[in-house]
Amino acid sequence: MNKTKAKLIVQTLSGIFTDKPALKFSSPYELLVAVVLSAQCTDNRVNKVTEVLFENYNTPQKMLALSQDQLEKYIFSCGLYKTKAEHILSLSRDLLDKFNGQVPKTLKELQSLAGVGRKTANVVYSVAFNGNAIAVDTHVFRVANRIGLVKADTPLKTETGLMKILDESDWSRAHHYLIYLGRSFCKAGKPDCQNCPILDLCDKKIKR
């Protein structure tokens, strides 16, 4: 796919989907925790969990008042709760020890936090701090490769490919558009190609 078609895909999706995440948060720290919880979990479920959790535990200091067992009980329904609880408590300690309790604003510093990988760092960097980044989750990986924006076999290669074919100013919003497209039309099991708003731009060339 060429850059002109890629740009047209972004422009088309911009009139359909929001460039904001579905996760609910009111601070960079809340966003960071929510993104950690969202791994292999729906945003709706995460929002239900954080609505309760963030009532009393919405800063690193407050979060560390919880033991791992206590935190696990709050986030149990998100799945992978033991690992997620460990990561949330570890990154909270790192924030206090290294960054005076504040979420850092650079990708390098975000990835230095315990339990924070590239995807999570990219989301926080782009959403909380308006940085240009592409976070490749399962939706972005599937959709970007299926429609032909990239041809890659790993999330990192997909991210690199998207960074090359998309204008840097479109990176962050395109990430959201591809997620929503994946949830609404370009689903994993049975994509709704006939009603897809970018069918004519898709390299699969499925006819209406």
Side-chain angles (χ1 to χ4, degrees):
M1 184 177 291
N2 58 49
K3 289 189 175 183
T4 299
K5 184 184 282 191
K7 183 72 172 180
L8 186 54
I9 286 175
V10 173
Q11 291 175 341
T12 301
L13 296 179
S14 70
I16 300 170
F17 301 119
T18 179
D19 61 357
K20 306 297 181 185
L23 293 172
K24 296 180 180 179
F25 63 95
S26 60
S27 70
Y29 178 74
E30 288 188 0
L31 174 63
L32 178 57
V33 171
V35 175
V36 170
L37 291 174
S38 70
Q40 298 184 41
C41 182
T42 66
D43 288 351
N44 285 337
R45 169 54 55 187
V46 173
N47 288 337
K48 290 178 181 179
V49 168
T50 55
E51 182 179 10
V52 176
L53 178 65
F54 290 160
E55 283 185 0
N56 297 305
Y57 307 103
N58 63 344
T59 69
Q61 295 91 334
K62 293 177 180 178
M63 190 67 73
L64 289 171
L66 292 171
S67 67
Q68 178 157 336
D69 286 343
Q70 289 172 325
L71 179 54
E72 287 175 4
K73 292 178 181 178
Y74 276 100
I75 67 173
F76 177 82
S77 63
C78 286
L80 302 175
Y81 61 96
K82 289 186 178 295
T83 298
K84 291 177 181 179
E86 181 180 351
H87 287 169
I88 290 169
L89 294 175
S90 294
L91 69 85
S92 296
R93 292 189 193 95
D94 277 355
L95 288 174
L96 289 176
D97 293 342
K98 301 177 182 178
F99 302 104
N100 297 314
Q102 300 300 308
V103 177
K105 298 182 179 181
T106 70
L107 282 171
K108 183 178 180 179
E109 289 175 323
L110 283 165
Q111 290 185 81
S112 76
L113 299 172
V116 175
R118 188 179 185 89
K119 187 200 79 171
T120 298
N122 282 347
V123 173
V124 176
Y125 176 66
S126 64
V127 174
F129 304 117
N130 297 313
N132 295 322
I134 300 172
V136 179
D137 66 356
T138 55
H139 294 295
V140 174
F141 179 72
R142 179 182 71 255
V143 174
N145 281 278
R146 180 184 279 168
I147 68 178
L149 279 171
V150 298
K151 299 294 182 184
D153 57 4
T154 68
L156 180 58
K157 290 179 182 177
T158 298
E159 179 186 341
T160 302
L162 288 172
M163 291 169 69
K164 290 179 179 178
I165 199 168
L166 298 175
D167 293 341
E168 184 174 352
S169 59
D170 288 336
W171 288 355
S172 295
R173 64 174 183 150
H175 150 251
H176 294 297
Y177 299 157
L178 292 175
I179 288 175
Y180 289 121
L181 183 67
R183 290 174 178 169
S184 302
F185 299 98
C186 202
K187 299 178 181 180
K190 189 177 180 181
D192 184 10
C193 298
Q194 299 304 314
N195 294 307
C196 180
I198 61 164
L199 176 59
D200 293 335
L201 299 170
C202 178
D203 276 1
K204 291 186 74 70
K205 300 186 185 304
I206 299 173
K207 295 181 178 179
R208 291 187 187 277

